[in-house]
Amino acid sequence: QVQLVESGGGLVQAGGSLRLSCAASGRTFSRYAMGWFRQAPGKEREFVAAINWSGGSTSYADSVKGRFTISRDNAKNTVYLQMNSLKPEDTAVYYCAAHQSPAIIITPNYDYWGQGTQVTVSS
């Protein structure tokens, strides 16, 4: 069982930056691929970024490529999402997720999910 707790969300102006963190419980964090998803009001949950077990492989949605960076620190059981050049369309609840596989997946077929953190970007 893995528990995920996101933090770092908030209100920011367009063009600004935020860094989301996701702290995971358990001793096997390094065996999991990790991902970030987001869901805006009235829309389906969508893939944002993912990282494999070692941090050596990442994947991004086209909408955030070049602006967002996913990383992980296995010693701290934490995954991060650095978000730069934020746009109003990035406004959503952001969810951290863990997948019981070392490899990246970009579909929502993750095994564990956090409760989400709100990111609001004002124009």
Side-chain angles (χ1 to χ4, degrees), residues 4 6 20-22 34-40 45-49 79 81 92-98 110 112-119:
L4 305 172
E6 301 99 333
L20 305 183
S21 298
C22 173
M34 301 296 295
W36 287 96
F37 289 75
R38 67 186 182 187
Q39 188 166 19
R45 190 170 298 189
E46 65 173 359
F47 169 75
V48 175
V79 63
L81 186 67
V93 177
Y94 283 71
Y95 297 90
C96 170
Y110 280 67
Y112 304 100
W113 292 85
Q115 83 289 349
T117 185
Q118 176 70 47
V119 171

Side-chain angles (χ1 to χ4, degrees), residues 90-105:
D90 294 318
T91 295
V93 177
Y94 283 71
Y95 297 90
C96 170
H99 180 55
Q100 283 185 302
S101 165
I104 287 174
I105 61 169

Side-chain angles (χ1 to χ4, degrees), residues 51-123:
I51 189 166
N52 75 333
W53 69 278
S54 68
S57 181
T58 58
S59 181
Y60 297 92
D62 288 343
S63 59
V64 307
K65 205 170 290 183
R67 299 188 298 123
F68 291 11
T69 302
I70 188 171
S71 62
R72 66 190 296 162
D73 185 337
N74 287 342
K76 295 182 178 180
N77 281 14
T78 302
V79 63
Y80 305 98
L81 186 67
Q82 177 67 45
M83 306 185 295
N84 299 328
S85 302
L86 283 160
K87 304 175 181 180
E89 51 263 44
D90 294 318
T91 295
V93 177
Y94 283 71
Y95 297 90
C96 170
H99 180 55
Q100 283 185 302
S101 165
I104 287 174
I105 61 169
I106 64 172
T107 60
N109 298 324
Y110 280 67
D111 302 291
Y112 304 100
W113 292 85
Q115 83 289 349
T117 185
Q118 176 70 47
V119 171
T120 303
V121 184
S122 63
S123 57

